[in-house]
Amino acid sequence: MNSPRATVSKILTYSIVDGPGNRLVIFLQGCNFDCTACHNPHTIGECNHCGDCVPACHADALSLVDGRIVFDPLTCDQCDDCLEVCPINANPMVRDYDVADILELARRHRPFLSGITVSGGEPTRQLGFVVALFEAIKSDEALAGLDCFIDSNGYLDRSGWESLLPVTDGVMLDIKSFDDAVHRELTGKENRKSLRSAQLLHEAGKLYELRFLLVPGVTDGDDELDGLIDFVAGLGGDVRVRLNAFQHHGVRPQALEWEKMPRAGVGKVAARLRGAGINNVVTPAVYL
Amino acid sequence: MQDMLSKLRSITNDATLNPAQKARYLSLEAENSLAYPSLDAETQRALDERVICDMYEGHAPYKPRYVLPDYSVVLRDGSDYLELPVPETLDEAINTLMIAYHHVPSVTGMPVYIGQLDELLLPFCEGVSDDALYEKIKLFWRYLDRTLPDAFMHANIGPSDNRVARAILRVDAELRQIAPNLTLLYDPQKSGDEILAIAGENIAACCKPHIANHPVHADAFDERGYGIVSCYNVLPLAGGASTLTRVNLKEVALRADDEAGFFADTLPHYLELNFRLTQARVDYLFDESGFFDSFLVNEGWVDRDRFTAMFGVFAMAEAVNLLQDTEGREGRYGFDEVANALGHRISAAIAEAIEARPLDKVWRGHALLHSQAGLSDDSEATPGVRIPYGTEPDPVTHVQALAPHHQYYDAGISEILTVDESVTNNPEALVQLCKGAFASGFREFTVNVASNDLVRVTGYMVRLSDIRKFRDQQGSRTNTTVLGAEAAEMTGILERKPRVVSNELSPGYGQ
Ligand code: SF4
Ligand code: SF4
């Protein structure tokens, strides 16, 4: 049988910020949003083998063979110059993994792991792979007890979630803006689908965390915060809300014009949410 | 003599030391003006060149380095010598311990072991409410930090999950004191996940407790048990360690032509010299000092036959990298499988040599191997078998690189895993890392959370704010701050990714 494959930009065997406990995180390449504020913009695009990055590599780690980009991990020194020059925010260093590869990695690190998270990019774009991976984890004896999480922008319709949810333990869902116009401006897409996903996941008991990125002057205004408060109230019940702070690390030049979100600013927003009855508000511990 | 007098004068006049700290340094100077126990010329030379080292314990060992009394004896029988009746209430039991501690010597002059506290106090807790227990422990904890301000002082709790252990964890996270140091003995069969989860939250709050792999330690000792003291020294309960000597593996590697020569000649040679140094110091303690005529022995708090000799090694990282160089291999210790395997082979060879070399007046007739965490004057020598400061990989890779060493180090080994502050939102991750580390063979789990004011300097804690104050000449109430400040200056501790150091003992004033 052919094991589904995925285009992976990075794998971490130690992560304490992608769900509960220590997690194996698989970052899948490619996103259906194009967020100005993205902290990993080189995970957005998918390589079209144009070859522009080949001459940018000082280590000769990249070449074009039969019209396709070939990457040599042994000569690469991780300078990331190739990411800078790619015109479409793709990454020539991605690797293809199949489900068996990931299972093998998870088994090797099993004692250290609380679970596995697929992130991105937008992982639900490689839905077949994620479903197959989670199914395989759930039926592997050596991996019993690992929970399966998804870090998503929510741009997936009901039928997509229906195929995922039976094997998914929790979803961390980002809402970029509660105002549709702002959302379009920030991401290039409407916010309706994401809001519906949040609703659906909450009803299914699988919304582990609702995430909201605070960008000063962009998403921290009264309207936006009231939108967040109303939305959470509308969901009903206990929702864990994680506030993230916009930072300059990794972002594209146009996002550098926005200010960084300071600790004090996040604290203020958190206090406001708590005051409005949202008890479970998590704020970042580290600011760069 | 003139030198000595001026040194004594500068100690007495040092505004940053309190009178007790001055008294300790003065007494060290006095002891060290005596002749050293006699050594053969070869051993003496290796000691002078500091290939082997006596931890500057002093020229006339008149007390064991570490004493681990079985405090259940004084709680059961009282003490004739100390004129203590048998305690009956929790207050009396705590009071008895508070008195007992002041009569337990060690290399620092302060007790390094204050007991398996939950086991000791539980029998006195019947009828004591949780609130009362918490209040009493809180006063006890404050007393310990203020009167015995030395982070080498170590309390043990576990492996069972019980009221006293929980009260101690609660108080410890609340007060965030340097002293006492604290270890939770963890046994997956006995402890349960709840107390481990509490420990994870405590670590996120204040970098304490350490967690010890109880089944592995219990296996290495006997029914009478063991205790964890100072910086992760694991020693026989009702005994301790007469002495700690150590071999600087970097210096040994520097004297070897190549890898083959290192294993065939250089290493065995210096191990032998360190055995001789150990025996000379043990002989003095047992045959000359009169220590074993004390009430501690007569009343059964400790047993003369239960004192081991700790055989320390350090600078494994430098030794491995030097040997990699002589063999023309590029891989570095901690990051390269061949380099890591070479390190593991060195540990195995040392353990074998210890097994083959009998020692006199030592528990079970052989030394116990210890991964020694450093002194404040060690520069360019990484503690124990650790990966050099500031270059450590992520905690999982870190554990995987070093785990194979742990089986050899019965007398204790510890790595400090650095975890960033984000873990305060996710203490569960610490629990998982701990389980992973133990499943991989780690004997001890210790974490430094990057943002904490309380940070580890090997096994003990210092407050970064205290170091800053000390540097500004205001002096410090706690002895370990002095060491921490020395260590920070000498070994570049604050460079460590978050910031931690290693070293166990300050050799003496101004060193
Ligand atoms: S990574 Fe970007 S620049 Fe390189 S070949 Fe692919 S699309 Fe072109
Ligand atoms: S990151 Fe690697 S592949 Fe990309 S330019 Fe640098 S060396 Fe070349």
Side-chain angles (χ1 to χ4, degrees):
Chain A
M1 197 191 81
N2 245 352
S3 171
R5 305 182 71 83
T7 313
V8 172
S9 69
K10 194 186 196 118
I11 294 182
L12 296 176
T13 56
Y14 165 71
S15 167
I16 57 173
V17 294
D18 293 287
N22 178 45
R23 311 191 68 82
L24 174 68
V25 189
I26 318 293
F27 294 89
L28 300 184
Q29 181 72 21
C31 189
N32 37 24
F33 284 5
D34 186 16
C35 298
T36 321
C38 182
H39 287 91
N40 303 302
H42 56 271
T43 63
I44 296 174
E46 274 161 294
C47 178
N48 59 18
H49 307 281
C50 72
D52 285 3
C53 55
V54 173
C57 177
H58 68 103
D60 287 333
L62 300 171
S63 52
L64 268 184
V65 178
D66 297 335
R68 297 188 67 82
I69 202 86
V70 175
F71 166 63
D72 177 3
L74 294 177
T75 40
C76 168
D77 62 10
Q78 283 119 34
C79 73
D80 286 353
D81 286 350
C82 50
L83 302 178
E84 296 283 320
V85 302
C86 177
I88 59 164
N89 291 307
N91 175 351
M93 301 177 284
V94 295
R95 285 185 55 190
D96 260 21
Y97 284 85
D98 66 13
V99 169
D101 297 330
I102 307 289
L103 292 185
E104 156 59 21
L105 194 64
R107 284 190 208 110
R108 202 152 17 104
H109 289 84
R110 175 64 188 96
F112 294 93
L113 295 175
S114 315
I116 179 164
T117 297
V118 291
S119 182
E122 174 50 40
T124 60
R125 288 178 76 251
Q126 303 187 47
L127 195 67
F129 173 81
V130 178
V131 172
L133 174 65
F134 286 3
E135 270 171 1
I137 287 172
K138 301 275 175 202
S139 56
D140 188 308
E141 243 170 73
L143 300 178
L146 287 188
D147 51 27
C148 298
F149 275 59
I150 301 175
D151 180 358
S152 170
N153 64 20
Y155 202 75
L156 182 70
D157 50 30
R158 178 173 286 274
S159 65
W161 287 119
E162 277 166 0
S163 63
L164 261 176
L165 285 185
V167 284
T168 302
D169 297 290
V171 178
M172 291 157 288
L173 190 93
D174 253 286
I175 300 292
K176 310 293 182 187
S177 171
F178 289 88
D179 180 312
D180 191 51
V182 177
H183 194 276
R184 284 171 195 272
E185 171 117 11
L186 291 176
T187 70
K189 295 274 166 50
E190 52 154 7
N191 71 1
R192 220 163 28 128
K193 225 173 180 173
S194 301
L195 295 175
R196 264 203 220 131
S197 292
Q199 185 87 42
L200 176 156
L201 290 168
H202 183 66
E203 278 160 14
K206 301 269 165 105
L207 182 63
Y208 171 74
E209 184 173 273
L210 193 72
R211 296 183 164 181
F212 187 71
L213 178 68
L214 291 167
V215 185
V218 182
T219 62
D220 66 345
D222 285 343
D223 288 355
E224 197 67 69
L225 297 179
D226 287 341
L228 170 59
I229 289 165
D230 290 348
F231 183 74
V232 171
L235 289 177
D238 205 19
V239 180
R240 174 177 156 112
V241 176
R242 176 186 211 90
L243 295 173
N244 283 325
F246 174 72
Q247 304 287 299
H248 283 165
H249 176 78
V251 301
R252 289 178 281 188
Q254 60 267 43
L256 289 176
E257 286 163 24
W258 292 334
E259 274 174 46
K260 295 198 271 190
M261 190 72 198
R263 189 185 290 269
V266 177
K268 246 202 238 155
V269 174
R272 176 159 169 181
L273 300 192
R274 290 186 185 112
I278 304 177
N279 296 319
N280 196 354
V281 181
V282 183
T283 58
V286 180
Y287 294 75
L288 296 172
Chain B
M1 196 63 193
Q2 204 47 48
D3 273 4
M4 164 128 179
L5 291 178
S6 67
K7 193 160 188 190
L8 298 181
R9 183 70 69 196
S10 57
I11 294 172
T12 53
N13 292 353
D14 188 331
T16 66
L17 298 175
N18 70 31
Q21 288 164 334
K22 289 178 187 182
R24 176 167 126 72
Y25 283 127
L26 289 169
S27 77
L28 284 174
E29 293 301 329
E31 181 185 343
N32 291 341
S33 66
L34 299 173
Y36 205 88
S38 99
L39 298 174
D40 63 88
E42 243 182 333
T43 307
Q44 185 66 56
R45 204 177 70 216
L47 178 60
D48 293 341
E49 293 174 3
R50 291 286 152 190
V51 187
I52 62 175
C53 173
D54 59 1
M55 301 295 293
Y56 306 90
E57 276 175 4
H59 291 191
Y62 57 91
K63 58 198 173 181
R65 180 177 184 89
Y66 298 124
V67 179
L68 284 75
D70 181 352
Y71 293 107
S72 71
V73 171
V74 63
L75 292 181
R76 187 191 61 217
D77 301 340
S79 166
D80 284 343
Y81 178 82
L82 296 176
E83 299 176 46
L84 290 173
V86 176
E88 286 177 7
T89 65
L90 181 57
D91 284 335
E92 287 171 7
I94 292 177
N95 186 256
T96 299
L97 290 176
M98 282 161 51
I99 292 166
Y101 297 150
H102 285 275
H103 300 273
V104 178
S106 81
V107 66
T108 59
M110 304 225 187
V112 292
Y113 181 65
I114 59 172
Q116 186 69 35
L117 287 179
D118 49 358
E119 207 172 276
L120 292 169
L121 296 178
L122 268 173
F124 298 92
C125 288
E126 220 168 290
V128 178
S129 73
D130 282 346
D131 284 345
L133 178 60
Y134 161 78
E135 291 301 337
K136 289 177 202 298
I137 296 287
K138 198 164 163 179
L139 291 178
F140 183 35
W141 236 234
R142 183 192 293 163
Y143 161 87
L144 288 170
D145 181 72
R146 304 307 191 279
T147 61
L148 299 167
D150 191 307
F152 293 121
M153 178 176 65
H154 212 122
N156 292 188
I157 54 174
S160 73
D161 181 357
N162 60 72
R163 293 171 62 203
V164 176
R166 287 202 182 206
I168 286 174
L169 287 170
R170 181 174 160 204
V171 167
D172 201 56
E174 192 182 315
L175 299 183
R176 300 184 189 207
Q177 299 171 162
I178 292 174
N181 211 332
L182 183 64
T183 288
L184 168 68
L185 312 183
Y186 174 73
D187 181 342
Q189 303 302 323
K190 287 186 203 149
S191 309
D193 280 348
E194 267 184 49
I195 193 151
L196 192 62
I198 297 174
E201 281 167 26
N202 275 35
I203 294 171
C206 64
C207 295
K208 284 197 277 177
H210 319 273
I211 303 175
N213 192 340
H214 177 66
V216 172
H217 290 308
D219 227 33
F221 291 85
D222 57 11
E223 277 111 72
R224 196 97 203 252
Y226 69 95
I228 297 201
V229 311
S230 184
C231 332
Y232 332 103
N233 305 328
V234 191
L235 298 170
L237 184 68
S242 297
T243 183
L244 164 58
T245 55
R246 60 178 191 160
V247 177
N248 183 336
L249 295 174
K250 173 189 176 186
E251 292 297 325
V252 176
L254 280 171
R255 287 161 174 76
D257 294 332
D258 55 18
E259 192 180 305
F262 176 86
F263 282 105
D265 304 315
T266 331
L267 181 64
H269 174 68
Y270 285 103
L271 294 179
E272 171 55 27
L273 299 186
N274 198 54
F275 286 123
R276 292 185 203 162
L277 173 66
T278 304
Q279 190 67 64
R281 298 188 59 82
V282 170
D283 286 346
Y284 189 95
L285 176 71
F286 275 74
D287 303 341
E288 317 267 347
S289 79
F291 172 81
F292 291 98
D293 298 330
S294 82
F295 86 97
L296 293 171
V297 181
N298 298 333
E299 292 191 0
W301 299 32
V302 294
D303 182 335
R304 192 177 197 269
D305 298 331
R306 294 181 64 80
F307 284 83
T308 187
M310 296 174 70
F311 195 101
V313 296
F314 71 114
M316 175 68 83
E318 287 77 10
V320 166
N321 288 341
L322 283 167
L323 293 175
Q324 287 284 97
D325 290 345
T326 63
E327 301 301 314
R329 294 189 299 249
E330 281 182 12
R332 297 293 95 176
Y333 184 71
F335 297 87
D336 174 81
E337 281 182 25
V338 174
N340 291 347
L342 172 56
H344 306 151
R345 201 179 139 210
I346 295 173
S347 284
I350 299 168
E352 220 171 275
I354 286 176
E355 213 35 65
R357 174 64 156 88
L359 289 172
D360 199 19
K361 287 158 266 182
V362 166
W363 182 63
R364 288 182 167 173
H366 295 271
L368 285 184
L369 183 54
H370 175 62
S371 172
Q372 206 281 322
L375 276 171
S376 58
D377 72 339
D378 291 338
S379 52
E380 286 166 40
T382 302
V385 304
R386 289 183 192 163
I387 299 169
Y389 307 136
T391 68
E392 304 96 324
D394 74 72
V396 173
T397 314
H398 196 151
V399 169
Q400 288 168 335
L402 297 183
H405 285 290
H406 278 230
Q407 58 188 305
Y408 304 113
Y409 291 84
D410 287 353
I413 174 167
S414 66
E415 325 305 342
I416 297 176
L417 304 176
T418 289
V419 175
D420 81 69
E421 241 182 309
S422 305
V423 85
T424 52
N425 279 333
N426 185 10
E428 202 182 329
L430 293 171
V431 169
Q432 195 64 49
L433 286 174
C434 177
K435 288 183 174 173
F438 286 177
S440 312
F442 259 44
R443 301 180 97 92
E444 200 83 34
F445 179 74
T446 294
V447 161
N448 198 56
V449 177
S451 66
N452 269 322
D453 187 35
L454 269 183
V455 295
R456 297 203 166 281
V457 182
T458 85
Y460 60 87
M461 320 278 304
V462 295
R463 272 202 193 100
L464 288 180
S465 47
D466 283 353
I467 291 192
R468 263 174 246 126
K469 249 191 270 168
F470 179 79
R471 285 211 181 118
D472 298 342
Q473 295 285 304
Q474 296 170 20
S476 172
R477 187 176 60 73
T478 57
N479 284 345
T480 38
T481 303
V482 184
L483 307 187
E486 282 178 16
E489 263 144 39
M490 290 299 297
T491 60
I493 29 174
L494 301 177
E495 267 164 36
R496 176 178 270 260
K497 267 188 191 155
R499 55 217 161 181
V500 170
V501 128
S502 73
N503 59 50
E504 154 140 25
L505 234 215
S506 164
Y509 180 74
Q511 280 178 3

